[in-house]
Amino acid sequence: MQPEPSRATAGSPAAQPGGLSPVAPPATLPVLTACDRPVATPALRFSEQAQFDRLLRKKLRTGRAVTVDMDTPYPADREAPLPLGAWLNEIKQSGGSVSVAPYCQKGRGLGGFFAKLFGGGPARPYKAARRYDAVLHVDAVDQVVTQVEFTPRKVGQ
């Protein structure tokens, strides 16, 4: 007994002679290119956590903007790694703002992660952050924080 030829059903492509089905052309996938981080020359790298507090405190005392480059980016919907989270918490506790600046592609789903963002509590060692705001630079494709920019607060805040 020979197998019965396949029948076309509603919504399926009609069988071609010889029992072959038409092959759909390959779907074109979006091409994702690597994006440069927003600040080309960061002032500090978040790699040596043991020295991070001391180095950041020293940089913030200059009163200028300081960008920290994350050697290992962390998910935007998670708490910042310590001790960075303690610095961000100090900014919030002292009335500053911590905002998100997606880059590379329009960001999606960034609204509800602030509750988990900050780690640690206010502490004296982080006092230098009280005159700053922070911007988390988030790679919108991967949804990871790649850089944190500390900017002096505007006068009157």
Side-chain angles (χ1 to χ4, degrees), residues 58-115:
K58 182 178 177 182
K59 296 280 186 185
L60 293 179
R61 286 182 178 156
T62 67
R64 296 186 183 134
V66 176
T67 300
V68 176
D69 202 53
M70 302 300 294
D71 281 352
T72 304
Y74 66 93
D77 63 349
R78 299 265 170 89
E79 187 175 302
L82 288 174
L84 179 62
W87 287 95
L88 297 174
N89 190 50
E90 185 68 23
I91 288 171
K92 290 292 286 182
Q93 294 296 322
S94 65
S97 69
V98 177
S99 59
V100 173
Y103 68 96
C104 191
Q105 176 183 328
K106 187 175 180 177
R108 300 175 301 273
L110 294 175
F113 71 89
F114 276 106

Side-chain angles (χ1 to χ4, degrees), residues 46-55 82-83:
F46 188 77
S47 58
E48 184 59 46
Q49 293 181 0
Q51 297 179 17
F52 181 75
D53 282 341
R54 182 181 57 80
L55 295 172
L82 288 174

